Amino acid sequence: IMNTNWIRKEELSKAPDKNGWIKWTGGFNPANNKLVDIKYCDGYIQNNVLSNDLRWNWMFNGTGGDIIEYKEL
């Protein structure tokens, strides 16, 4: 059975939503050397972080540390 809820990152819009958040599904740093707010899959939001200091690729280990959205500041 195929999981139809999975969307490839290439299919996601890079445009921010009305609150400025951009969906993220892992990969290379999309905001090189910029300040960002980060939303993790466990709901935690980290504010005003240098993007180069973050782990952008997904680990898929269930710990909640995967970034699901970001906002450039």
Side-chain angles (χ1 to χ4, degrees):
I1 298 176
M2 181 188 289
N3 181 353
T4 57
N5 293 326
W6 178 259
I7 299 173
R8 292 170 24 142
K9 69 179 174 183
E10 294 83 8
E11 297 169 2
L12 290 173
S13 170
K14 300 296 182 191
D17 67 14
K18 65 180 180 175
N19 296 313
W21 290 102
I22 300 170
K23 300 240 183 257
W24 184 250
T25 59
F28 295 108
N29 181 348
N32 190 32
N33 209 34
K34 295 182 181 177
L35 289 176
V36 293
D37 288 346
I38 297 298
K39 191 181 295 183
Y40 293 95
C41 64
D42 65 0
Y44 178 73
I45 296 175
Q46 188 174 6
N47 296 302
N48 203 30
V49 182
L50 184 63
S51 65
N52 292 8
D53 293 339
L54 298 165
R55 179 185 48 81
W56 288 91
N57 59 315
W58 279 20
M59 300 301 290
F60 297 102
N61 61 8
T63 63
D66 292 334
I67 296 169
I68 60 168
E69 292 183 291
Y70 69 98
K71 183 189 310 187
E72 292 184 16
L73 304 178

